[in-house]
Amino acid sequence: MNERDLLLEKYSSRVFKNRKSHISQLEMSDEADTITANTRAIPGIATARGCCYAGCKGVVVGPMKDAVTITHGPIGCAFYSWGTRRNKARTEEGGQNFVPYSFCTDMRPTDIVFGGEKKLEEGIDEIMTLFNPKCIFICSTCPIGLIGDDVQAVARRVEKKYGIKAVGFSCEGYKGVSQSSGHHIANNGLMRQIIGTGDKKPMGKYSLNILGEYNIGGDGWEEERILKKIGYEIVSVFTGDGSYETMKNAHLADLNLVMCHRSINYVAEMMKTKYGIDWLKVNFIGIGSTCKTLRMIAEYFKDPELLARTEEVIAEELEAVSDDMEYYRSMLKGKTAGIFTGGSRSHHYQSLLRDLGVETIIAGYEFAHRDDYEGRDIIAEIKPDADSKNIEEITVSPDEAFYKERYSEKELEELKEKGIEIDTYDGMFPDMKKGYMVVDDYNMFETDELIHSMKPDIFFSGIKDKYSIQKQGVVSRQLHSYDYSGPYAGFNGAVIFGRDVTMSIYTKAWVLTTPPWKTAALLGGRIGGE
Ligand code: CFN
Ligand code: HCA
């Protein structure tokens, strides 16, 4: 029996029926590999997913530093989303930075009964008196949708009263099937009400926006460092260390780079339709991926000087990190890994691990869509799913016409020879090998079982499962928060990642622990490790 069947046979028939299409062991059957994704999790299963509010407030709008984000709802959601995601933001000279704060209307039972709009407006009055921000985002939590408070109407009243920008997001936690629906709601609001409202033109010859970069552990800063060194102007970053002030002018940039494909691809496409800005899907995680990305951007502008400068910077950067990378590679070569994160990261980090000689044998996402797994070929099949049909959940990618317009066949061939396959839209499957395991919306039980059967040397995921993994003797690192380390992006980030992984694997602490379930019977746990 293969590992997939071993895992599935432990389920009841109803759960088996549901989970079997979410778990794929690659190339193990005669049919093409497929996976079911972006569907509702089974109630009661310990899924790692977050909610719509987490996707809107926590992921997309929260990191914008000069905007106050107020949670309209009971205090719990505001408290538990306060400072937990590592979207770093630096206060600019004389600028505002509200990222370290948490604002909430603290809705009580009487507010739920009589309505909370008044309380929200009073809260915003207080914010204006104390902080005087230029922009306010209102994010609804579950009860708001049920009692019908109109956060958009409040936002309009605030705009009129104070002459600032205010946007209401109806991102009640229960909407859609995961945080992915919150990304859509956030991005639609930003697209409608912020992008395109400024008129500050970029000064540089070539200007870029970085979309889907949330500056976790400072990743965005490392990307900016490299891009600026080459000579690009960065107009805005969505949304890590980002701001309302810069996002207003995003429509004036020459090109959009899309780093996290899951959370923002449709904004890139909407900006293409509305403002004619092309976009490229990029990856700054891993040395190989960073070099490919930089070359791809330079090729887009078709400027020999820019291409030469790009090669110069790549050579300099490689020179600076190659000894360290070689050392970490010598320590890590032949090791195996498992990766479960929310969206893009599980795929992105495979390339950095590959640079270090580590094979990813188990991978999956919490809430990615089918294209994130299977690649471009299936895009045409993707339809808004039934659970989120009213929020236009779509998946897009640069289409072939884009490349055909820009490059002749001969040029595409030449680029391919140089290792730049700019017309490929890869997913997770094409990067993994026969027998490797891909799991959608993984849960804690499956994580434990796969660690048991596939025996990876290291497991990357999040805070919820980290400690149970380590207690069973397998080192685990968080790829959401980088365990408070980072940056991991770009050239310098790759070295820091190599150091952290080497340090983790060579630390014997976890192997020496005896997990509690080996000595005592626990509810639903294995006894004696079997
Ligand atoms: S920073 Fe991003 S890279 S935005 Fe997204 S899909 Fe989350 S918060 Mo956690 S680490 Fe994760 Fe991605 Fe894009 Fe982060 S893999 S789950 S919603 N994510
Ligand atoms: C979220 C945020 C999260 C959680 C990370 C984790 C993040 O899902 O709402 O579970 O460790 O990156 O902070 O993905």
Side-chain angles (χ1 to χ4, degrees):
M1 219 187 271
N2 62 35
E3 285 84 356
R4 175 178 178 270
D5 296 340
L6 266 175
L7 167 61
L8 284 167
E9 75 158 8
K10 305 225 166 64
Y11 278 136
S12 68
S13 61
R14 274 184 66 191
V15 178
F16 173 88
K17 227 168 117 193
N18 176 300
R19 290 301 297 158
K20 71 177 194 321
S21 62
H22 292 268
I23 303 175
S24 186
Q25 191 158 15
L26 299 181
E27 296 172 46
M28 297 299 271
S29 77
D30 297 337
E31 281 154 41
D33 294 316
T34 57
I35 202 156
T36 302
N38 193 30
T39 63
R40 197 166 286 281
I42 302 172
I45 273 206
T47 163
R49 282 175 169 179
C51 67
C52 178
Y53 161 81
C56 179
K57 188 265 181 184
V59 174
V60 180
V61 304
M64 287 175 66
K65 59 187 172 187
D66 57 356
V68 162
T69 298
I70 180 165
T71 297
H72 187 35
I75 195 70
C77 300
F79 182 77
Y80 287 107
S81 60
W82 178 21
T84 50
R85 187 158 171 267
R86 282 192 72 228
N87 43 267
K88 291 187 156 210
R90 206 177 270 146
T91 314
E92 268 145 52
E93 191 80 22
Q96 294 174 310
N97 182 1
F98 301 108
V99 169
Y101 291 80
S102 180
F103 299 86
C104 181
T105 46
D106 184 18
M107 292 280 281
R108 300 295 173 95
T110 43
D111 305 317
I112 299 291
V113 173
F114 296 107
E117 284 184 28
K118 200 160 168 277
K119 198 172 188 189
L120 175 60
E121 290 192 50
E122 282 167 9
I124 291 175
D125 288 340
E126 202 179 321
I127 288 169
M128 290 309 296
T129 312
L130 290 173
F131 299 103
N132 197 28
K134 300 172 217 148
C135 178
I136 293 190
F137 296 139
I138 306 164
C139 292
S140 300
T141 67
C142 294
I144 304 308
L146 303 176
I147 65 173
D149 279 1
D150 188 343
V151 293
Q152 283 80 12
V154 172
R156 282 194 295 274
R157 290 204 287 274
V158 167
E159 287 199 329
K160 232 170 148 185
K161 185 166 174 189
Y162 293 107
I164 60 162
K165 174 62 68 185
V167 188
F169 297 94
S170 295
C171 54
E172 286 83 359
Y174 54 76
K175 282 191 173 163
V177 303
S178 71
Q179 48 273 66
S180 185
S181 57
H183 304 151
H184 284 257
I185 290 169
N187 288 318
N188 282 345
L190 299 178
M191 186 68 204
R192 269 191 224 118
Q193 300 198 53
I194 298 195
I195 299 163
T197 57
D199 55 11
K200 194 170 160 222
K201 290 208 173 77
M203 316 275 283
K205 191 167 176 198
Y206 300 118
S207 58
L208 309 168
N209 295 311
I210 313 179
L211 274 60
E213 174 47 67
Y214 301 93
N215 203 30
I216 306 299
D219 278 355
W221 291 331
E222 168 68 358
E223 290 157 24
E224 280 192 50
R225 179 189 72 79
I226 303 164
L227 291 166
K228 283 182 180 161
K229 189 171 170 185
I230 294 176
Y232 296 107
E233 177 176 348
I234 311 298
V235 176
S236 71
V237 182
F238 295 20
T239 52
D241 198 27
S243 64
Y244 160 65
E245 273 307 326
T246 54
M247 191 182 273
K248 285 195 301 193
N249 304 312
H251 63 300
L252 300 170
D254 295 322
L255 178 69
N256 278 335
L257 309 182
V258 178
M259 176 64 185
C260 165
H261 189 247
R262 178 63 275 129
S263 62
I264 206 151
N265 52 32
Y266 33 87
V267 172
E269 193 59 20
M270 286 190 272
M271 285 178 77
K272 162 107 178 141
T273 311
K274 197 162 167 190
Y275 304 109
I277 306 178
D278 285 329
W279 61 281
L280 297 174
K281 188 181 181 213
V282 300
N283 179 13
F284 285 101
I285 305 295
I287 301 270
S289 302
T290 301
C291 294
K292 180 178 158 186
T293 290
L294 295 175
R295 291 186 172 122
M296 209 163 90
I297 305 166
E299 290 288 354
Y300 173 84
F301 290 108
K302 296 188 166 200
D303 173 346
E305 240 175 74
L306 183 68
L307 281 161
R309 176 69 191 143
T310 302
E311 290 307 327
E312 214 172 271
V313 169
I314 290 177
E316 257 174 55
E317 295 287 328
L318 286 179
E319 170 73 31
V321 299
S322 59
D323 285 355
D324 284 342
M325 284 305 280
E326 211 30 68
Y327 171 70
Y328 293 127
R329 198 182 150 83
S330 74
M331 298 297 282
L332 296 172
K333 198 165 186 303
K335 304 281 183 207
T336 57
I339 315 183
F340 281 149
T341 67
S344 295
R345 275 158 197 256
S346 305
H347 183 212
H348 281 170
Y349 276 87
Q350 287 193 29
S351 57
L352 177 45
L353 287 166
R354 208 172 302 122
D355 290 345
L356 291 161
V358 180
E359 275 284 296
T360 304
I361 56 174
I362 311 166
Y365 303 112
E366 290 170 25
F367 52 78
H369 300 197
R370 266 187 69 197
D371 64 310
D372 299 306
Y373 289 104
E374 296 176 36
R376 178 161 62 182
D377 294 350
I378 62 129
I379 296 282
E381 283 174 39
I382 294 182
K383 303 261 169 4
D385 92 272
D387 288 307
S388 46
K389 58 175 181 274
N390 54 359
I391 47 170
E392 299 161 29
E393 192 140 2
I394 51 158
T395 302
V396 291
S397 81
D399 54 19
E400 299 215 19
F402 162 81
Y403 297 108
K404 294 232 163 86
E405 259 168 43
R406 253 200 113 70
Y407 305 95
S408 67
E409 292 218 347
K410 190 165 163 270
E411 278 174 315
L412 281 176
E413 267 315 304
E414 280 168 12
L415 290 174
K416 217 174 209 166
E417 271 164 33
K418 286 198 241 165
I420 314 169
E421 292 184 51
I422 56 165
D423 61 339
T424 53
Y425 174 71
D426 50 350
M428 179 180 268
F429 283 10
D431 267 356
M432 293 183 77
K433 294 190 190 144
K434 183 173 172 164
Y436 292 0
M437 197 72 87
V438 181
V439 182
D440 172 67
D441 182 20
Y442 63 93
N443 58 54
M444 303 307 154
F445 171 73
E446 288 162 5
T447 306
D448 285 354
E449 289 296 315
L450 289 174
I451 288 177
H452 200 67
S453 63
M454 308 272 292
K455 301 191 174 35
D457 293 303
I458 185 163
F459 205 88
F460 298 95
S461 60
I463 189 81
K464 291 162 243 143
D465 38 356
K466 178 183 173 83
Y467 297 99
S468 79
I469 295 166
Q470 291 198 157
K471 279 180 190 167
Q472 56 183 301
V474 178
V475 64
S476 177
R477 289 201 65 88
Q478 298 179 71
L479 275 191
H480 299 257
S481 66
Y482 301 165
D483 284 293
Y484 325 106
S485 178
Y488 285 166
F491 298 99
N492 293 338
V495 173
I496 298 171
F497 182 78
R499 181 201 66 195
D500 288 354
V501 174
T502 306
M503 181 177 73
S504 307
I505 287 190
Y506 284 88
T507 301
K508 291 280 172 233
W510 313 114
V511 193
L512 300 175
T513 58
T514 306
W517 56 87
K518 289 218 166 162
T519 51
L522 298 175
L523 189 64
R526 291 196 207 96
I527 302 170
E530 290 310 315

